């Protein structure tokens, strides 16, 4: 059974930092492209960041470039999202997702491209 478990969310002040983690089980994680998405109340789920299974390719939403960093450790079946310079508009539930990829450099930005999803971790930024 495939499981993705996110952790690391919380309540922080604007300007603060968080490190989100997503640990996978039940699949060969090192062959999977992974991504982070977020969803605020009343809004659609939006792309945040993606990383290829080799870690050599990444992409970010314009709204988070320069503040968020995605990385992965395939030996730990874990993908991370380092979030710095948090803003109130970053408040949302953050979800990790993963899908098996045929290429080590594949990155994906659409929710429909992913097969497996975590349950989400809440990030709340106070002003």
């Amino acid at each position: 059974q495939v499981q993705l478990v996110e952790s690391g969310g919380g309540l922080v002040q604007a300007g603060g930092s968080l490190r989100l983690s997503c640990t996978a089980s039940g699949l060969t994680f090192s062959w999977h492209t992974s991504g982070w998405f977020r969803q605020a109340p009343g809004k659609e789920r939006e792309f945040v960041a993606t990383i290829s299974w080799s870690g050599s390719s990444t992409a970010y939403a314009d709204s988070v470039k320069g503040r968020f960093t995605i990385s992965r450790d395939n030996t730990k079946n874990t993908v991370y999202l380092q979030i710095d310079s948090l803003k109130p508009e970053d408040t949302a539930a953050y979800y990790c997702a993963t899908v098996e990829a045929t290429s080590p450099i594949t990155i994906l930005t659409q929710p429909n491209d992913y097969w497996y999803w975590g349950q989400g971790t809440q990030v709340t930024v106070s002003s």
Side-chain angles (χ1 to χ4, degrees), residues 18-113:
L18 285 173
R19 189 193 196 201
L20 308 184
S21 299
C22 173
T23 300
S25 61
L27 49 77
T28 306
F29 186 69
S30 56
W31 296 346
H32 281 238
T33 291
S34 298
W36 286 94
F37 293 78
R38 66 185 182 186
Q39 188 168 18
K43 295 188 177 181
E44 292 188 354
R45 189 167 298 190
E46 65 173 355
F47 165 73
V48 174
T50 179
I51 186 167
S52 63
W53 61 253
S54 68
S56 61
S57 299
T58 60
Y60 298 89
D62 289 342
S63 59
V64 308
K65 280 181 182 176
R67 299 188 298 120
F68 290 19
T69 304
I70 190 170
S71 62
R72 66 189 299 150
D73 184 343
N74 289 337
T75 66
K76 297 181 179 179
N77 283 2
T78 300
V79 61
Y80 304 98
L81 187 67
Q82 177 68 39
I83 307 176
D84 298 319
S85 303
L86 276 159
K87 303 176 181 180
E89 52 264 42
D90 294 320
T91 295
Y94 283 71
Y95 299 88
C96 71
T98 192
V99 62
E100 188 169 337
T102 57
S103 166
I105 62 172
T106 297
I107 52 176
L108 300 165
T109 63
Q110 300 301 312
N112 288 343
D113 290 329

